[in-house]
């Protein structure tokens, strides 16, 4: 009986549309069963996609942060290079100043001593960090490495009372020494003559003297200049350009160990080698124009003889 009924239903369904509403209702009832059957696969695919998306976004975010630090570091040098070009200074090592090798690092600890301005970074001797290596963030110099461990290093900030850095005024090249005050938002310039040409808003750059910090990086901005006619030196205060209390990602700068004289000598030798090579590669090209220039002279001389 069921076999006959099934055969009859198949014939009716194939030739007529009477059972179409019934098929739709049965599909509506069976749909939850299909949904529950696909649920484990759907959840697994969603979880896998979510985890992969998060890891990709995290990796891309870290890469973009490092690239942002690199680009902002390059922009820091534009003010110094522009001012030096205006003063017609010969920048024999300008390309080396802009293209120093750097290594991105992250802050992992702060010295709890309130009278010491030191931080801990996640790069050490295994990463090539050197004692005395300069450290900067996206806005300017922060300090230098004073202790190197295998996987971490300790950095002394510019505002520490034991730290000093030679600087120069970007506007006119006036040299001075900036020392830490213990205040994370203030530096002081010591022994600046009362008649010195320095004023509020002047940008202070690292002068490169002492061969510890590379030249041309922003250090601070002058915020106060106090003149006292009874004192030989003015009181000059400045605010660091770097975010000493807020920066989490920093750069370690690997400077060229050569002296300016060595860099100039190497550059001159390289230029001489290039000129010598260019002359050796084109000996015939210089001979051809000479031969061409001799031809008219010979013809003119020959033509002049009959006239005489």
């Amino acid at each position: 009986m069921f076999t006959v009924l099934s055969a009859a239903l198949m014939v009716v369904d194939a030739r007529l549309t009477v059972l179409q509403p019934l098929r739709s209702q049965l599909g509506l009832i069976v749909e939850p069963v299909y949904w529950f059957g696909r649920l484990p696969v759907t959840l697994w695919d969603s979880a896998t996609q979510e985890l992969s998306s998060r890891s990709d976004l995290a990796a891309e975010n870290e890469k973009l942060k490092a690239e942002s630090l690199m680009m902002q570091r390059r922009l820091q040098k534009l003010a110094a290079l522009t001012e030096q070009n205006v003063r017609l200074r010969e920048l024999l090592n300008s390309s080396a100043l802009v293209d120093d090798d750097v290594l991105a690092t992250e802050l992992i600890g702060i010295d709890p001593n309130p009278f010491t301005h030191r931080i801990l970074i996640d790069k050490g001797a295994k990463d090539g960090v050197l004692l005395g290596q300069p450290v900067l963030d996206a806005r300017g110099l922060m300090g230098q490495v004073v202790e190197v461990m295998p996987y971490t290093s300790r950095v002394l900030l510019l505002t520490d009372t034991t730290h000093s850095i030679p600087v120069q005024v970007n506007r006119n090249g006036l040299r001075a020494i900036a020392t830490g005050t213990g205040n994370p938002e203030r530096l002081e310039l010591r022994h600046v003559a009362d008649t010195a040409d320095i004023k509020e808003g002047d940008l202070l750059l690292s002068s490169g003297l002492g061969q510890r910090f590379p030249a041309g990086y922003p250090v601070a901005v002058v915020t106060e200049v106090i003149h006292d006619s009874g004192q030989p030196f003015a009181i000059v205060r400045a605010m660091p350009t770097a975010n000493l209390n807020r920066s989490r990602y920093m750069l370690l700068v690997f400077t060229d160990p050569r002296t300016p004289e060595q860099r100039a000598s190497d550059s001159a030798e390289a230029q001489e080698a290039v000129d010598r090579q260019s002359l050796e590669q084109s000996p015939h090209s210089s001979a051809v124009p000479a031969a061409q220039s001799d031809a008219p002279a010979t013809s003119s001389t020959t033509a002049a003889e009959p006239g005489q």
Side-chain angles (χ1 to χ4, degrees), residues 13-226:
D13 184 55
R15 297 182 176 275
L16 303 175
T17 59
V18 179
L19 298 179
Q20 187 64 35
L22 180 60
R23 182 191 295 273
S24 300
Q25 295 297 326
L26 291 176
L28 183 63
I29 296 173
V30 177
E31 182 63 27
V33 178
Y34 292 157
W35 185 82
F36 278 110
R38 293 194 306 268
L39 184 60
V41 177
T42 304
L43 293 177
W44 175 258
D45 292 341
S46 300
T48 304
Q49 184 176 2
E50 182 70 18
L51 291 176
S52 61
S53 299
R54 284 180 178 272
S55 60
D56 293 342
L57 289 175
E60 184 178 1
N61 190 25
E62 294 296 330
K63 180 181 178 182
L64 291 176
K65 286 180 179 179
E67 291 179 355
S68 177
L69 282 176
M70 300 291 184
M71 299 305 298
Q72 291 182 18
R73 168 191 151 275
R74 289 176 179 269
L75 290 176
Q76 292 175 20
K77 310 306 289 297
L78 293 180
L81 294 179
T82 301
E83 191 65 25
Q84 289 172 356
N85 287 332
V86 171
R87 296 195 298 263
L88 300 179
R89 295 181 58 184
E90 187 177 8
L91 303 176
L92 296 177
N93 58 340
S94 61
S95 59
L97 291 178
V98 177
D99 297 327
D100 293 331
D101 294 331
V102 294
L103 175 66
T105 182
E106 183 178 359
L107 173 70
I108 60 175
I110 301 175
D111 197 319
N113 187 354
F115 302 102
T116 302
H117 293 187
R118 298 189 180 191
I119 59 176
L120 193 68
I121 58 177
D122 65 348
K123 293 294 186 293
K126 298 293 185 181
D127 304 291
V129 179
L130 305 174
L131 191 65
Q133 191 168 1
V135 180
L136 64 150
D137 68 354
R139 299 183 59 183
L141 283 171
M142 295 187 64
Q144 61 177 308
V145 177
V146 294
E147 184 180 355
V148 180
M149 291 163 281
Y151 297 99
T152 58
S153 299
R154 203 173 302 277
V155 178
L156 182 68
L157 300 181
L158 298 177
T159 52
D160 191 90
T161 54
T162 62
H163 193 281
S164 298
I165 176 175
V167 297
Q168 66 179 13
V169 179
N170 186 50
R171 178 171 54 85
N172 54 19
L174 177 67
R175 294 188 296 272
I177 301 295
T179 60
T181 62
N183 186 338
E185 295 184 355
R186 191 173 68 187
L187 296 172
E188 285 189 0
L189 271 61
R190 303 292 174 85
H191 306 109
V192 176
D194 190 66
T195 58
D197 182 15
I198 187 170
K199 59 184 179 180
E200 295 182 12
D202 280 343
L203 176 63
L204 303 177
L205 305 176
S206 56
S207 64
L209 300 179
Q211 303 298 320
R212 178 57 59 90
F213 292 93
Y217 283 102
V219 176
V221 177
V222 177
T223 57
E224 186 179 10
V225 180
I226 301 176

